[in-house]
Amino acid sequence: MSTAKFDTLGQYLLKRLYQEGVKHIFGVPGDYVLGFYDLMVKSPVHHIGTTREDCAAFAADGYARCQGLGALAVTYGVGALNTVNAVAGAYAESSPVIVISGSPGITEQKDDPLIHHRFGPFTFQREIFERITCATVVLNDPVIAFRQIDHAIAAARRYCKPVYIEIPRDLVMVEGYPMPSEVLEKFTSDESALAEAVSETLELMAKSVSPMIIAGVECHRRGLQSELLDLVERARLPVAATLTGKSVLAERHPAYLGIYEGAMSSEHARYIVEQSDLLLMLGVTLNDIDTGIYTAKLDPHHMVRAAQDEVVISAHRYPRVLLADFLSALACAVKTSNQDYASPPITLQSSRFPEPNRHMSTSRLIERLNQALSPEMMVVCDVGDCLFAAIDLRVHEQSEFLASSYFATMGFAVPAALGAQIARPDHRALILVGDGAFQMTGTELSTHAHLGLNPIVIVFNNSGYSTERFILEGPFNDISPWRFDRLGEVFGPLNGYDATTEEEFETALIHALQNQTMPSIINVHLLSEDASSAMKRLAEHLKTRVKG
C-alpha cells in the first residue's frame, strides 16, 4: 500500500505561485484564511501585511505590473468584498492579479448556514468576482483542485487579467491528487494571417512620407517593450505613447515625442501625430482617456491597428495575430535605417529654480521633478491633476511610470508603490498623489515605513478634489485639511516637509533625495485655482457632459 504524501491544496497553490515568480502575497488576515497564512509563513513566499484589503489589491496590482503576476490573500466576505474596486481596476487596466479568498469550510457551509461574514448564498462572492476576473475557481474538490489552480494561473498570464481562487478553510491542509501533466493549448498566431498583415504593413510604410508609432498599454502588460524598441530603432520611427501606455518607451529616447491624447496633448505631439500619413497603433486601446475625451483626430484609413490578438489595416482585418508576433515579425522584416529620427523631441525646460518668494505651482513642480528624476527612480501616480501634470514628466527607462490612467480610481498610488518597490528593490518610488486621494489610502505609507522602504511622496495639496472643482465647483469638493508633514509622528520612521514656496520645496526635495533610509513626504501647497494645462482642457470638455 502506497504511503506517498502529496502536497495539500494550500501547499500546491503557494508552490505554483512561487514557480510563477510571485515571491510576495499582500493581504490582511481573517479567520477563514488563517490556515493558508500559516502555510505561507512556512513557505518561501513572504506575506506583506497592509492596512486595508483594497490596499492589498492595489499593491498586488503594482507588483504585477513590475513582476508579471501579483497576488493577494484575504478572508471571506468583509475582506474579499473590500477589494472589489481595486480588482475591477486591475481588470480594466489589464493587470494579472490573483485574488485568493479563504472561505467557510465545506462542512460549515452545510451545517452552519448563519456563520459570520455571510451575506447571502455562499456562491454570491464567486458570482461577484466572475464579473471582474477572467477566471474563477472554488477549490472544493481535492481531486481536481491542482488542475484548477494551474488553469487559473494560466488564464491570468494569457489574458493579463485578474483571476479568483477560493479555498475553503477545511481543505487547506487536505492532500490533492496529482493528475497526469496536461499540456494547455497555447494560443498561437495564424501564420498566413500574420505574414499577410506584415506584408501589407511594409507596403504602406514604403509608400508613406511620415509614418510613426503610437504605443499603448498592451505593450506594457504583455512585456513587449524590448520588441517595440527594436522596431523603433531599426526603422527610426518617431513614437508617441497613450496616457495609459506612458513609459512604454524610455521617455528620454530620441524617438519619443510625448503623450498623445487628442486635445489634451502638447501642441508638438498633436501636430506630429495628426499630420502623419501612416499611424502604427501598437497595443492601443481607444478609450476616452487615451483619445482625450474623443478629441483625437485619427483617420482609420491611414492606420494599422495591432491589438487584442488581431491586426486591422483600413478595411482589412487579420484575426488571430498576436501583438508579440506582429511586433517581432515586423521588426525583423522592416528595412533598417541609419537616418536621424524625423522629428526631434522637445528638450526639457531647465529654467532657474527656485525663484525667491515665488509660490509653488503645478507646472514648476513638474519642471523641477524632471530635473530630479534619475534612472533608478520610478513614478507611481494617482489620478487627478497629478496625473495630467505628469504627462510632461519624462522618466528615464521604460516601464517606470505606473498609474490607474483608464479606470482612474483615486487611492491607487501609495499602495501600488508598495507593491512596485517590493517587486523592484533596485528602484526608488516617486509617488505623486493629491490630498484627497492620499486621505483614502495614504495609511499604506506606514507599511512602507515599517518595511524600511524609501519612497518620496509628493502631495499635490490644493485643498480638495481639483478635477471635479474645475468641472463643477461646489462645497462637495472641499476636504478636511491634513498636516501631511507630521505623519511621521503616527506612521513611524518618516521625514515630513511642508512647502509653500519654491525655496521651501527645494530644501525639502534635496533632503528627501538624500534620505535613503525611510520614506519622505512633501506637503506641497498649491493654489486651488492652479492646474495643469491638460486638466484645464479636459475639464472644458467634461463640463458640457456634467451639465447635460
Side-chain angles (χ1 to χ4, degrees), residues 7-233:
D7 286 333
T8 68
L9 304 195
Q11 287 171 336
Y12 186 77
L13 177 53
L14 287 165
K15 181 171 74 175
R16 288 292 295 114
L17 290 172
Y18 191 81
Q19 290 170 347
E20 292 291 328
V22 178
K23 306 298 193 296
H24 304 83
I25 293 179
F26 303 87
V28 177
D31 59 342
Y32 295 125
V33 78
L34 284 180
F36 182 75
Y37 269 44
D38 189 49
L39 275 182
M40 198 189 321
V41 171
K42 302 166 186 173
S43 80
V45 178
H46 297 283
H47 167 245
I48 304 294
T50 55
T51 60
R52 297 160 47 108
E53 290 91 353
D54 57 346
C55 288
F58 284 132
D61 186 346
Y63 189 95
R65 298 189 194 198
C66 297
Q67 193 75 6
L69 203 64
L72 64 137
V74 291
T75 197
Y76 183 80
V78 295
L81 295 183
N82 207 19
T83 72
V84 166
N85 174 65
V87 175
Y91 189 91
E93 299 270 344
S94 298
S95 188
V97 170
I98 296 176
V99 182
I100 302 165
S101 174
S103 69
I106 299 297
T107 303
E108 293 172 298
Q109 293 184 33
K110 187 187 306 179
D111 300 336
D112 192 6
L114 297 181
I115 195 165
H116 64 284
H117 294 341
R118 185 181 181 188
F119 56 99
F122 288 109
T123 59
F124 269 15
Q125 181 167 296
R126 173 186 56 78
E127 291 169 8
I128 289 170
F129 278 89
E130 280 181 347
R131 304 291 183 175
I132 54 174
T133 61
C134 68
T136 61
V137 297
V138 178
L139 306 181
N140 54 14
D141 184 351
V143 174
I144 62 171
F146 288 2
R147 184 158 289 182
Q148 287 179 298
I149 291 169
D150 291 342
H151 282 203
I153 293 174
R157 289 281 194 198
R158 163 75 179 86
Y159 298 105
C160 293
K161 299 285 187 183
V163 298
Y164 172 81
I165 299 176
E166 183 177 311
I167 181 166
R169 66 176 169 184
D170 59 358
L171 293 185
V172 171
M173 292 303 297
V174 171
E175 290 184 14
Y177 291 77
M179 291 181 154
S181 59
E182 179 186 21
V183 179
L184 299 177
E185 182 182 356
K186 188 177 180 181
F187 186 87
T188 56
S189 294
D190 180 308
E191 292 298 332
S192 60
L194 173 61
E196 289 183 29
V198 170
S199 177
E200 184 172 358
T201 302
L202 291 172
E203 289 179 17
L204 292 173
M205 291 176 68
K207 298 174 184 176
S208 173
V209 175
S210 54
M212 67 165 297
I213 293 171
I214 299 182
V217 67
E218 276 196 55
C219 295
H220 266 303
R221 300 298 183 262
R222 299 187 181 277
L224 301 176
Q225 297 92 330
S226 296
E227 289 83 350
L228 173 66
L229 181 61
D230 189 29
L231 173 61
V232 168
E233 295 191 335

Side-chain angles (χ1 to χ4, degrees), residues 246 252 348-349 353 360-373 379 381 385-394 401 430 432 458 460 502 505 509 524 526 530-533:
K246 182 173 168 63
R252 304 193 185 210
L348 296 175
Q349 293 181 345
F353 193 100
M360 280 298 297
S361 68
T362 301
S363 61
R364 293 280 284 174
L365 174 58
I366 294 298
E367 182 182 329
R368 180 63 184 93
L369 291 178
N370 261 326
Q371 298 170 11
L373 278 176
V379 178
C381 190
D385 198 29
C386 58
L387 176 61
F388 298 116
I391 289 173
D392 295 324
L393 204 61
R394 298 291 179 93
F401 184 90
L430 174 66
L432 309 182
I458 308 294
F460 286 57
E502 290 190 358
F505 180 75
L509 182 62
V524 183
L526 301 168
D530 180 32
S532 66
S533 56

Side-chain angles (χ1 to χ4, degrees), residues 168-401:
R169 66 176 169 184
D170 59 358
L171 293 185
V172 171
M173 292 303 297
V174 171
E175 290 184 14
Y177 291 77
M179 291 181 154
S181 59
E182 179 186 21
V183 179
L184 299 177
E185 182 182 356
K186 188 177 180 181
F187 186 87
T188 56
S189 294
D190 180 308
E191 292 298 332
S192 60
L194 173 61
E196 289 183 29
V198 170
S199 177
E200 184 172 358
T201 302
L202 291 172
E203 289 179 17
L204 292 173
M205 291 176 68
K207 298 174 184 176
S208 173
V209 175
S210 54
M212 67 165 297
I213 293 171
I214 299 182
V217 67
E218 276 196 55
C219 295
H220 266 303
R221 300 298 183 262
R222 299 187 181 277
L224 301 176
Q225 297 92 330
S226 296
E227 289 83 350
L228 173 66
L229 181 61
D230 189 29
L231 173 61
V232 168
E233 295 191 335
R234 283 175 182 263
R236 286 289 202 256
L237 293 174
V239 182
T242 60
L243 184 55
T244 60
K246 182 173 168 63
S247 83
V248 67
L249 186 77
E251 296 182 332
R252 304 193 185 210
H253 191 283
Y256 182 69
L257 300 173
I259 301 295
Y260 178 74
E261 51 169 347
M264 270 90 260
S265 318
S266 69
E267 290 298 327
H268 177 70
R270 183 167 58 167
Y271 171 78
I272 298 298
V273 170
E274 294 179 359
Q275 63 82 42
S276 172
D277 61 355
L278 180 63
L279 293 174
L280 301 182
M281 308 277 285
L282 304 177
V284 174
T285 56
L286 293 175
N287 54 68
D288 66 339
I289 296 294
D290 285 339
T291 58
I293 314 299
Y294 305 118
T295 59
K297 295 180 181 179
L298 305 171
D299 186 347
H301 297 293
H302 296 149
M303 186 186 299
V304 174
R305 281 196 65 200
Q308 299 175 338
D309 300 335
E310 69 174 11
V311 176
V312 178
I313 304 176
S314 189
H316 302 163
R317 178 173 175 265
Y318 299 96
R320 194 162 178 145
V321 176
L322 294 174
L323 177 60
D325 293 340
F326 180 75
L327 264 175
S328 297
L330 187 61
C332 289
V334 75
K335 183 179 179 181
T336 303
S337 172
N338 294 318
Q339 297 179 354
D340 292 335
Y341 292 99
S343 177
I346 295 177
T347 56
L348 296 175
Q349 293 181 345
S350 57
S351 54
R352 182 189 173 198
F353 193 100
E355 290 189 3
N357 302 316
R358 181 171 177 175
H359 199 287
M360 280 298 297
S361 68
T362 301
S363 61
R364 293 280 284 174
L365 174 58
I366 294 298
E367 182 182 329
R368 180 63 184 93
L369 291 178
N370 261 326
Q371 298 170 11
L373 278 176
S374 59
E376 67 277 3
M377 295 179 76
M378 58 180 166
V379 178
V380 187
C381 190
D382 222 288
V383 300
D385 198 29
C386 58
L387 176 61
F388 298 116
I391 289 173
D392 295 324
L393 204 61
R394 298 291 179 93
V395 298
H396 283 260
E397 304 296 336
Q398 60 193 26
S399 300
E400 289 188 345
F401 184 90

